[in-house]
Amino acid sequence: MESTAVLRRFNRTYTQRIGALDESFLGLGMPLASARLLFEIGGAQPVTVQDLRARLGLDSGYLSRLLRGLESRRLVELSPDPADRRRRVAALTESGARLLTDLDDRSDALATRLLEPLSERQRARLAEALATADLLVRAATLEFEVVDPASPNARLAMGHYFAELDRRFEGGFDPGPLTEADLATMRPPGGTFVLARSDGEVVACGGVQSLGEGVGEVKRMWVHDGWRGAGLGARMLRRLEDDAAALGHTVVRLDTNATLTDAIALYERSGYASVARYNDNPYAQRWFEKPLSAPAASTRRPRG
Amino acid sequence: MESTAVLRRFNRTYTQRIGALDESFLGLGMPLASARLLFEIGGAQPVTVQDLRARLGLDSGYLSRLLRGLESRRLVELSPDPADRRRRVAALTESGARLLTDLDDRSDALATRLLEPLSERQRARLAEALATADLLVRAATLEFEVVDPASPNARLAMGHYFAELDRRFEGGFDPGPLTEADLATMRPPGGTFVLARSDGEVVACGGVQSLGEGVGEVKRMWVHDGWRGAGLGARMLRRLEDDAAALGHTVVRLDTNATLTDAIALYERSGYASVARYNDNPYAQRWFEKPLSAPAASTRRPRG
DNA sequence: ATATTTGTCTGACTAGAGTCAGACGAATGG
DNA sequence: CCATTCGTCTGACTCTAGTCAGACAAATAT
């Protein structure tokens, strides 16, 4: 069966069998929107109203009303943010925390009840299938965005990248201090820096810098551990190539360490050819290059 | 991760990423409830209002209003059922059919858009995972029900069963006429007949008859082809054993044909032991028996 | 210091989705 | 043929989940 058909069939099954149950149960005693709000507040304790609005995608007036509802039932407490007294931060009260645990238990009980008719083996199969689907659905709905390499999220992502290299290289890895000059290479006109985020969490990154007339270099490409197997590396690489082409590069290079076999496999799969050493990076043992086709100025859409 | 946790995580991902998109798109131009109703009418053309109510689980007043809405927009036509003029049957008009195609296309486009960022391979992986999840979620939400073996659905199920035997036995299979006496064996006090249904469709069946003081026999056990691999056979067998025990039997027997290797494997997995021929069924080559533990009168819950 | 922007809140609406209590004609059981 | 049941419809509600237009105070820009 075609994959769109499978998706649509599943969608029907799902909304009929699970969605409906979920909504009727979860909300028991309170509207669904309030319950969701409570969950969201409980997730990352003191959270600003602004944050909640962004995460739940609610109208400010509506959210305000919902909050006041929870406040009047003494489930949450709002107080001005000392750092910016226009902002208000929400936190659960004790009874709010208790209710949240309660809702959580109820949701758990519902899930258990739903799975109950299945055998242990089938439950495991279902869990595996859902985990796969979860990963891929998240991957399909990722957001790529160009950010300044000096922004907090970009620094965070590069931090993950360096930490991973340090773990994987035999003698460890020392990036040295992250200088402003270094960051500046990944800004226009010759460079760029791209993040992939899911639910606000940074899950992948990558940069491009210019090596001179028409030559770009892919740098700092990293994918979150929990996101391996979703083709994120390939998508990020494609995205960086597209961006490099848009910046006027006609060829991209990259270097890598011989221990990063998965990355090397990705480069080879993606049409990169081994070339001779083109820099003096002491951590690099392999160098690659790939010609870029010129971006079709008007028809080109950013992929991924 | 525990399977309930996986289910819950998936649930969140799903409602956030797909559910929301779906609802906003599908309904474009009309409320979701109307769109769903249109889909349902389009599914099995002339359909009674009663049927729609059952399938969508709607209040009769509400459904009536929704139907009138569609009728006033000339999307459906209602006419009294000639067989019972209290009933009304709904059918799409031409423009209704056109709109349905339109909604269908839109839904398809949405699914395609959602899958677009994934590679061919990942799409296939996702489709496989969703198909597995679909099967298991459906299996988990099946409804078992005791019905009279002479009821239309029971006859239908046994028809499937006989047809399958006819396909699988080398020399074919001739059940002979389905006599009232034969059916009566699968009624209380000593017998029963159980159906499993999903979305109204019969997907499995099985019966028990009495072979005399305390001995029950499992008969006519059948599982729909599309439902293999969901453990439905094992669940039906367990259910029949429970019911047999509740009817006072202390042991169950069954016979089977040597070509039905999957069934034989199921019996052996389920604790059945080979015994000598106990009947003169010309199609049987293997005979099995299993002792039943007495039902704990109060604590016993029907399983599955 | 003043104007503008930002973050939150209030009031006044709307649409969707559904519930509940009957009304009414058609079918059915005795 | 009469009472009851069944299938559908109408009217009068309710609750959720929003939207939109301001109001107002705190922060920031000029």
Coordinates of all heavy atoms in Angstrom, one line a residue, chain D:
Chain D
dC1 P -60.4 -2.2 12.9 OP1 -61.7 -2.3 12.3 OP2 -59.2 -1.9 12.2 O5' -60.5 -1.2 14.1 C5' -60.9 -1.7 15.4 C4' -59.8 -1.5 16.4 O4' -58.8 -2.5 16.3 C3' -59.1 -0.1 16.2 O3' -58.7 0.3 17.5 C2' -57.8 -0.6 15.5 C1' -57.5 -1.9 16.2 N1 -56.5 -2.8 15.6 C2 -55.8 -3.7 16.4 O2 -56.0 -3.7 17.6 N3 -54.9 -4.5 15.8 C4 -54.7 -4.5 14.5 N4 -53.8 -5.3 14.0 C5 -55.5 -3.6 13.7 C6 -56.3 -2.8 14.2
dC2 P -59.6 1.3 18.4 OP1 -61.0 0.6 18.5 OP2 -59.5 2.7 17.9 O5' -58.9 1.3 19.8 C5' -58.7 0.0 20.4 C4' -57.3 -0.1 21.0 O4' -56.4 -0.8 20.0 C3' -56.6 1.3 21.3 O3' -56.2 1.3 22.6 C2' -55.5 1.4 20.3 C1' -55.2 -0.1 20.0 N1 -54.5 -0.4 18.7 C2 -53.6 -1.5 18.7 O2 -53.2 -2.0 19.7 N3 -53.0 -1.8 17.5 C4 -53.4 -1.1 16.4 N4 -52.8 -1.5 15.2 C5 -54.3 -0.1 16.4 C6 -54.9 0.2 17.6
dA3 P -55.5 2.5 23.3 OP1 -56.2 2.9 24.5 OP2 -55.2 3.6 22.3 O5' -54.1 1.9 23.7 C5' -54.1 0.7 24.4 C4' -52.6 0.2 24.5 O4' -52.2 -0.2 23.1 C3' -51.6 1.2 25.0 O3' -50.8 0.5 25.9 C2' -50.9 1.7 23.7 C1' -51.0 0.5 22.8 N9 -51.1 0.9 21.4 C8 -51.9 1.8 20.8 N7 -51.8 1.9 19.5 C5 -50.9 0.9 19.2 C6 -50.4 0.4 18.0 N6 -50.8 1.0 16.8 N1 -49.5 -0.6 18.0 C2 -49.2 -1.1 19.2 N3 -49.6 -0.8 20.4 C4 -50.5 0.2 20.3
dT4 P -49.6 1.3 26.6 OP1 -49.4 0.6 27.9 OP2 -49.8 2.7 26.5 O5' -48.4 0.9 25.7 C5' -48.1 -0.5 25.4 C4' -47.0 -0.6 24.4 O4' -47.4 -0.2 23.1 C3' -45.7 0.2 24.7 O3' -44.6 -0.7 24.8 C2' -45.6 1.2 23.5 C1' -46.4 0.4 22.4 N1 -47.0 1.3 21.3 C2 -46.7 1.0 20.0 O2 -46.0 0.1 19.7 N3 -47.3 1.8 19.1 C4 -48.2 2.8 19.4 O4 -48.7 3.5 18.4 C5 -48.5 3.1 20.7 C7 -49.4 4.2 21.1 C6 -47.8 2.3 21.7
dT5 P -43.2 -0.2 25.3 OP1 -42.6 -1.2 26.1 OP2 -43.3 1.2 25.7 O5' -42.4 -0.2 23.9 C5' -42.5 -1.3 23.1 C4' -41.9 -1.0 21.7 O4' -42.8 -0.2 21.0 C3' -40.6 -0.3 21.8 O3' -39.7 -1.0 21.0 C2' -40.9 1.1 21.2 C1' -42.1 0.8 20.3 N1 -43.0 1.9 20.0 C2 -43.3 2.2 18.7 O2 -42.9 1.5 17.7 N3 -44.2 3.2 18.5 C4 -44.8 4.0 19.4 O4 -45.6 4.9 19.1 C5 -44.4 3.7 20.8 C7 -45.0 4.5 21.9 C6 -43.6 2.7 21.0
dC6 P -38.1 -0.7 20.8 OP1 -37.4 -1.9 20.6 OP2 -37.8 0.3 21.9 O5' -38.2 0.2 19.4 C5' -38.8 -0.4 18.3 C4' -38.6 0.4 17.1 O4' -39.6 1.5 17.1 C3' -37.3 1.1 17.0 O3' -36.8 0.9 15.7 C2' -37.6 2.6 17.3 C1' -39.0 2.7 16.8 N1 -39.9 3.7 17.5 C2 -40.8 4.5 16.8 O2 -40.8 4.4 15.6 N3 -41.6 5.4 17.4 C4 -41.6 5.5 18.8 N4 -42.4 6.3 19.4 C5 -40.7 4.6 19.6 C6 -39.9 3.8 18.9
dG7 P -35.4 1.4 15.3 OP1 -34.9 0.5 14.2 OP2 -34.6 1.7 16.5 O5' -35.8 2.8 14.6 C5' -36.3 2.8 13.2 C4' -36.4 4.2 12.7 O4' -37.3 4.9 13.6 C3' -35.1 5.0 12.8 O3' -34.8 5.5 11.6 C2' -35.3 6.0 13.9 C1' -36.8 6.2 13.9 N9 -37.4 6.5 15.2 C8 -37.1 6.0 16.4 N7 -37.8 6.5 17.4 C5 -38.7 7.4 16.8 C6 -39.7 8.2 17.3 O6 -40.0 8.3 18.5 N1 -40.3 8.9 16.3 C2 -40.0 8.9 15.0 N2 -40.8 9.6 14.2 N3 -39.1 8.1 14.5 C4 -38.4 7.4 15.4
dT8 P -33.6 6.5 11.3 OP1 -33.3 6.4 9.9 OP2 -32.6 6.3 12.4 O5' -34.3 7.9 11.6 C5' -35.4 8.3 10.7 C4' -36.0 9.6 11.2 O4' -36.4 9.5 12.5 C3' -35.0 10.8 11.2 O3' -35.4 11.7 10.2 C2' -35.2 11.4 12.6 C1' -36.4 10.8 13.1 N1 -36.6 10.6 14.6 C2 -37.5 11.3 15.2 O2 -38.3 12.0 14.7 N3 -37.6 11.1 16.6 C4 -36.8 10.2 17.3 O4 -36.9 10.1 18.5 C5 -35.8 9.5 16.6 C7 -34.8 8.6 17.3 C6 -35.7 9.8 15.2
dC9 P -34.6 13.0 9.9 OP1 -34.9 13.3 8.5 OP2 -33.2 12.8 10.4 O5' -35.4 14.0 10.8 C5' -36.7 14.3 10.5 C4' -37.3 15.2 11.6 O4' -37.2 14.6 12.9 C3' -36.5 16.6 11.8 O3' -37.4 17.6 11.5 C2' -36.1 16.6 13.2 C1' -37.0 15.5 13.9 N1 -36.4 14.8 15.0 C2 -36.9 15.0 16.3 O2 -37.9 15.7 16.4 N3 -36.4 14.3 17.4 C4 -35.3 13.5 17.2 N4 -34.8 12.9 18.2 C5 -34.7 13.4 15.9 C6 -35.3 14.0 14.8
dT10 P -36.8 19.1 11.4 OP1 -37.6 19.8 10.3 OP2 -35.3 19.0 11.3 O5' -37.2 19.7 12.7 C5' -38.5 19.7 13.2 C4' -38.7 20.4 14.5 O4' -38.2 19.5 15.6 C3' -37.8 21.7 14.6 O3' -38.7 22.7 15.0 C2' -36.8 21.4 15.7 C1' -37.4 20.2 16.5 N1 -36.5 19.2 17.1 C2 -36.6 18.9 18.4 O2 -37.4 19.4 19.1 N3 -35.7 18.0 18.8 C4 -34.7 17.4 18.1 O4 -33.9 16.5 18.5 C5 -34.6 17.8 16.7 C7 -33.6 17.2 15.8 C6 -35.5 18.7 16.3
dG11 P -38.2 24.2 15.2 OP1 -39.3 25.1 14.8 OP2 -36.9 24.3 14.5 O5' -38.0 24.3 16.8 C5' -39.0 23.8 17.6 C4' -38.6 24.1 19.1 O4' -37.8 23.0 19.6 C3' -37.8 25.4 19.3 O3' -38.3 26.0 20.5 C2' -36.4 24.9 19.4 C1' -36.5 23.5 20.1 N9 -35.5 22.6 19.7 C8 -34.9 22.4 18.5 N7 -34.0 21.5 18.5 C5 -34.0 21.0 19.8 C6 -33.3 19.9 20.4 O6 -32.4 19.2 19.8 N1 -33.6 19.7 21.7 C2 -34.6 20.4 22.4 N2 -34.8 20.1 23.7 N3 -35.3 21.4 21.8 C4 -34.9 21.6 20.5
dA12 P -37.7 27.3 21.0 OP1 -38.9 28.1 21.6 OP2 -36.8 27.9 20.0 O5' -36.8 26.8 22.2 C5' -37.3 25.9 23.2 C4' -36.2 25.6 24.2 O4' -35.3 24.6 23.7 C3' -35.3 26.9 24.5 O3' -35.0 26.9 25.8 C2' -34.1 26.6 23.6 C1' -34.0 25.1 23.7 N9 -33.2 24.5 22.7 C8 -33.1 24.8 21.4 N7 -32.3 24.1 20.7 C5 -31.8 23.1 21.6 C6 -30.9 22.0 21.5 N6 -30.3 21.7 20.3 N1 -30.7 21.3 22.6 C2 -31.3 21.6 23.7 N3 -32.2 22.6 23.9 C4 -32.4 23.3 22.8
dC13 P -34.4 28.3 26.5 OP1 -35.4 28.8 27.4 OP2 -33.8 29.1 25.4 O5' -33.1 27.7 27.3 C5' -31.9 27.5 26.6 C4' -31.3 26.3 27.2 O4' -31.4 25.2 26.2 C3' -29.8 26.5 27.4 O3' -29.6 26.8 28.8 C2' -29.1 25.2 27.0 C1' -30.1 24.6 26.0 N1 -29.7 24.7 24.6 C2 -28.8 23.8 24.1 O2 -28.3 22.9 24.8 N3 -28.4 23.9 22.8 C4 -28.9 24.9 22.0 N4 -28.6 24.9 20.7 C5 -29.9 25.8 22.6 C6 -30.2 25.7 23.8
dT14 P -28.4 27.0 29.6 OP1 -28.9 26.6 31.0 OP2 -27.9 28.3 29.4 O5' -27.3 26.0 29.2 C5' -27.4 24.6 29.7 C4' -26.1 23.9 29.3 O4' -26.1 23.8 27.9 C3' -24.8 24.7 29.7 O3' -24.1 24.0 30.6 C2' -24.1 25.0 28.4 C1' -24.8 24.0 27.4 N1 -24.9 24.6 26.0 C2 -24.2 23.9 25.0 O2 -23.5 23.0 25.2 N3 -24.4 24.5 23.8 C4 -25.2 25.6 23.5 O4 -25.3 26.0 22.3 C5 -25.9 26.2 24.6 C7 -26.8 27.3 24.4 C6 -25.7 25.6 25.8
dC15 P -22.8 24.6 31.4 OP1 -22.8 24.0 32.7 OP2 -22.9 26.1 31.2 O5' -21.6 24.1 30.5 C5' -21.6 22.8 30.1 C4' -20.4 22.6 29.1 O4' -20.8 23.0 27.8 C3' -19.2 23.4 29.5 O3' -18.1 22.5 29.3 C2' -19.2 24.5 28.5 C1' -19.8 23.9 27.3 N1 -20.5 24.8 26.3 C2 -20.3 24.6 24.9 O2 -19.5 23.7 24.6 N3 -20.9 25.5 24.1 C4 -21.7 26.4 24.5 N4 -22.3 27.2 23.6 C5 -21.9 26.6 25.9 C6 -21.3 25.8 26.8
dT16 P -16.7 22.7 30.0 OP1 -16.4 21.5 30.7 OP2 -16.6 24.0 30.6 O5' -15.7 22.7 28.8 C5' -16.2 22.9 27.6 C4' -15.4 22.6 26.4 O4' -16.1 23.2 25.3 C3' -14.0 23.2 26.4 O3' -13.2 22.3 25.6 C2' -14.2 24.6 25.8 C1' -15.4 24.3 24.8 N1 -16.3 25.4 24.7 C2 -16.7 25.9 23.4 O2 -16.2 25.4 22.4 N3 -17.6 26.9 23.4 C4 -18.2 27.6 24.5 O4 -18.9 28.5 24.3 C5 -17.8 27.1 25.8 C7 -18.4 27.7 27.0 C6 -16.9 26.0 25.8
dA17 P -11.6 22.6 25.5 OP1 -11.0 21.4 25.0 OP2 -11.2 23.2 26.8 O5' -11.5 23.7 24.4 C5' -11.9 23.3 23.0 C4' -11.8 24.5 22.1 O4' -12.9 25.4 22.4 C3' -10.5 25.3 22.4 O3' -10.0 25.6 21.1 C2' -11.0 26.5 23.1 C1' -12.4 26.7 22.4 N9 -13.4 27.5 23.1 C8 -13.5 27.7 24.4 N7 -14.5 28.6 24.8 C5 -14.9 29.0 23.5 C6 -15.9 30.0 23.2 N6 -16.6 30.7 24.1 N1 -16.1 30.2 21.8 C2 -15.4 29.5 21.0 N3 -14.4 28.6 21.2 C4 -14.2 28.4 22.5
dG18 P -8.4 26.0 21.0 OP1 -8.0 25.9 19.6 OP2 -7.7 25.1 22.0 O5' -8.3 27.4 21.5 C5' -8.4 28.6 21.0 C4' -9.5 29.0 20.1 O4' -10.7 29.1 20.9 C3' -9.2 30.4 19.7 O3' -8.6 30.4 18.4 C2' -10.6 31.0 19.6 C1' -11.5 30.1 20.4 N9 -12.0 30.8 21.6 C8 -11.7 30.5 23.0 N7 -12.4 31.3 23.8 C5 -13.1 32.1 23.0 C6 -14.1 33.1 23.3 O6 -14.4 33.5 24.5 N1 -14.6 33.7 22.2 C2 -14.3 33.3 20.9 N2 -15.0 34.0 20.0 N3 -13.5 32.4 20.6 C4 -12.9 31.8 21.7
dT19 P -7.7 31.6 18.0 OP1 -6.9 31.1 16.8 OP2 -7.0 32.0 19.2 O5' -8.6 32.8 17.6 C5' -9.7 32.5 16.7 C4' -10.5 33.8 16.5 O4' -11.2 34.1 17.7 C3' -9.5 35.0 16.3 O3' -10.0 35.8 15.2 C2' -9.6 35.8 17.7 C1' -11.0 35.4 18.1 N1 -11.2 35.4 19.6 C2 -12.1 36.3 20.2 O2 -12.8 37.1 19.6 N3 -12.2 36.2 21.6 C4 -11.4 35.3 22.4 O4 -11.6 35.4 23.6 C5 -10.5 34.5 21.7 C7 -9.7 33.5 22.5 C6 -10.4 34.6 20.4
dC20 P -9.1 36.9 14.6 OP1 -9.5 37.0 13.2 OP2 -7.7 36.7 14.9 O5' -9.6 38.3 15.3 C5' -11.0 38.5 15.4 C4' -11.3 39.8 16.1 O4' -11.4 39.5 17.5 C3' -10.1 40.8 16.0 O3' -10.7 42.1 15.7 C2' -9.5 40.8 17.4 C1' -10.7 40.4 18.3 N1 -10.3 39.8 19.6 C2 -11.0 40.1 20.7 O2 -11.9 41.0 20.7 N3 -10.7 39.5 21.9 C4 -9.8 38.6 21.9 N4 -9.5 38.0 23.1 C5 -9.0 38.2 20.7 C6 -9.4 38.8 19.6
dA21 P -9.8 43.3 15.3 OP1 -10.3 43.8 14.0 OP2 -8.4 43.0 15.5 O5' -10.2 44.3 16.5 C5' -11.6 44.4 16.9 C4' -11.7 45.2 18.1 O4' -11.4 44.4 19.3 C3' -10.7 46.4 18.2 O3' -11.4 47.5 18.8 C2' -9.6 45.9 19.0 C1' -10.3 45.0 20.0 N9 -9.6 43.9 20.6 C8 -8.6 43.1 20.1 N7 -8.1 42.2 20.9 C5 -8.8 42.5 22.1 C6 -8.7 41.9 23.4 N6 -7.8 40.9 23.7 N1 -9.4 42.4 24.4 C2 -10.2 43.4 24.1 N3 -10.4 44.1 22.9 C4 -9.7 43.5 22.0
dG22 P -10.8 49.0 18.7 OP1 -11.8 49.9 19.3 OP2 -10.4 49.2 17.3 O5' -9.5 48.9 19.5 C5' -9.3 49.9 20.5 C4' -9.7 49.3 21.9 O4' -9.3 47.9 21.9 C3' -8.9 49.9 23.0 O3' -9.8 50.5 23.9 C2' -8.1 48.8 23.6 C1' -8.8 47.5 23.2 N9 -7.8 46.5 23.1 C8 -7.1 46.0 22.0 N7 -6.3 45.0 22.2 C5 -6.6 44.7 23.5 C6 -6.0 43.7 24.4 O6 -5.2 42.8 24.0 N1 -6.5 43.8 25.7 C2 -7.4 44.7 26.1 N2 -7.7 44.6 27.4 N3 -7.9 45.6 25.4 C4 -7.5 45.6 24.1
dA23 P -9.2 51.7 24.8 OP1 -10.4 52.6 25.2 OP2 -8.1 52.3 24.1 O5' -8.7 51.0 26.1 C5' -9.7 50.3 27.0 C4' -8.9 49.8 28.2 O4' -8.1 48.7 27.8 C3' -8.0 50.9 28.8 O3' -8.1 50.8 30.2 C2' -6.6 50.4 28.4 C1' -6.8 48.9 28.2 N9 -5.9 48.2 27.2 C8 -5.8 48.6 25.9 N7 -5.0 47.7 25.3 C5 -4.6 46.8 26.2 C6 -3.7 45.7 26.2 N6 -3.1 45.3 25.1 N1 -3.5 45.0 27.3 C2 -4.2 45.4 28.4 N3 -5.0 46.4 28.6 C4 -5.2 47.1 27.4
dC24 P -7.5 52.0 31.1 OP1 -8.5 52.2 32.2 OP2 -7.2 53.2 30.2 O5' -6.2 51.4 31.6 C5' -6.2 50.1 32.3 C4' -4.8 49.6 32.5 O4' -4.4 49.0 31.3 C3' -3.8 50.8 32.8 O3' -3.1 50.4 33.9 C2' -2.9 50.8 31.6 C1' -3.0 49.3 31.1 N1 -2.6 49.1 29.7 C2 -1.9 47.9 29.4 O2 -1.6 47.2 30.4 N3 -1.5 47.6 28.2 C4 -1.9 48.5 27.2 N4 -1.5 48.2 25.9 C5 -2.6 49.7 27.5 C6 -3.0 49.9 28.7
dA25 P -2.3 51.6 34.7 OP1 -3.2 51.9 35.9 OP2 -1.9 52.7 33.8 O5' -1.0 50.9 35.3 C5' -1.1 49.5 35.7 C4' 0.2 48.8 35.3 O4' 0.2 48.6 33.8 C3' 1.4 49.6 35.6 O3' 2.4 48.7 36.2 C2' 1.9 50.1 34.3 C1' 1.4 49.0 33.3 N9 1.2 49.4 31.9 C8 0.5 50.5 31.5 N7 0.5 50.6 30.2 C5 1.3 49.5 29.7 C6 1.7 49.1 28.5 N6 1.3 49.7 27.3 N1 2.4 48.0 28.4 C2 2.8 47.4 29.5 N3 2.5 47.7 30.8 C4 1.7 48.8 30.8
dA26 P 3.7 49.3 36.8 OP1 3.8 48.7 38.2 OP2 3.8 50.7 36.6 O5' 4.8 48.6 35.9 C5' 4.9 47.2 35.8 C4' 5.9 46.8 34.8 O4' 5.4 47.3 33.5 C3' 7.2 47.4 35.0 O3' 8.2 46.4 34.8 C2' 7.3 48.5 33.9 C1' 6.4 48.0 32.8 N9 5.7 49.0 32.0 C8 5.0 50.0 32.4 N7 4.5 50.8 31.5 C5 4.9 50.2 30.3 C6 4.7 50.5 29.0 N6 4.0 51.5 28.5 N1 5.3 49.7 28.1 C2 6.0 48.6 28.5 N3 6.3 48.2 29.8 C4 5.7 49.1 30.6
dA27 P 9.7 46.7 34.9 OP1 10.4 45.4 35.2 OP2 10.0 47.9 35.6 O5' 10.0 47.0 33.3 C5' 10.2 45.8 32.5 C4' 10.6 46.3 31.1 O4' 9.7 47.3 30.7 C3' 12.0 46.9 31.0 O3' 12.6 46.1 29.9 C2' 11.7 48.3 30.6 C1' 10.4 48.3 29.9 N9 9.6 49.5 30.0 C8 9.1 50.1 31.2 N7 8.4 51.2 30.9 C5 8.3 51.2 29.6 C6 7.6 52.1 28.7 N6 6.9 53.1 29.1 N1 7.7 51.9 27.4 C2 8.5 50.8 27.0 N3 9.1 49.9 27.7 C4 9.0 50.2 29.0
dT28 P 14.1 46.3 29.5 OP1 14.6 45.1 29.0 OP2 14.8 47.0 30.7 O5' 14.0 47.4 28.3 C5' 13.3 47.0 27.1 C4' 13.4 48.1 26.1 O4' 12.5 49.1 26.5 C3' 14.8 48.8 26.1 O3' 15.5 48.4 25.0 C2' 14.5 50.3 26.3 C1' 13.0 50.4 26.2 N1 12.3 51.4 27.1 C2 11.5 52.3 26.5 O2 11.3 52.4 25.4 N3 10.9 53.1 27.4 C4 11.0 53.1 28.8 O4 10.4 53.9 29.5 C5 11.9 52.1 29.3 C7 12.2 52.0 30.8 C6 12.5 51.3 28.5
dA29 P 16.2 49.3 23.9 OP1 16.6 48.5 22.8 OP2 17.2 50.1 24.6 O5' 15.0 50.3 23.5 C5' 14.4 50.1 22.2 C4' 14.2 51.5 21.6 O4' 13.6 52.4 22.6 C3' 15.4 52.2 21.0 O3' 15.0 52.9 19.8 C2' 15.8 53.2 22.1 C1' 14.4 53.6 22.7 N9 14.3 53.9 24.1 C8 15.0 53.3 25.2 N7 14.7 53.9 26.3 C5 13.8 54.9 26.0 C6 13.1 55.8 26.9 N6 13.2 55.8 28.2 N1 12.3 56.7 26.2 C2 12.1 56.6 24.9 N3 12.7 55.8 24.1 C4 13.5 54.9 24.7
dT30 P 15.9 53.7 19.0 OP1 15.5 53.6 17.6 OP2 17.3 53.4 19.4 O5' 15.6 55.2 19.5 C5' 14.3 55.7 19.3 C4' 14.3 57.2 19.6 O4' 14.2 57.4 21.0 C3' 15.5 58.0 19.2 O3' 15.1 59.2 18.6 C2' 16.3 58.2 20.4 C1' 15.1 58.3 21.5 N1 15.5 58.0 22.9 C2 14.9 58.6 23.9 O2 14.1 59.5 23.7 N3 15.3 58.2 25.2 C4 16.2 57.3 25.5 O4 16.5 57.0 26.6 C5 16.8 56.6 24.4 C7 17.8 55.5 24.6 C6 16.4 57.0 23.1

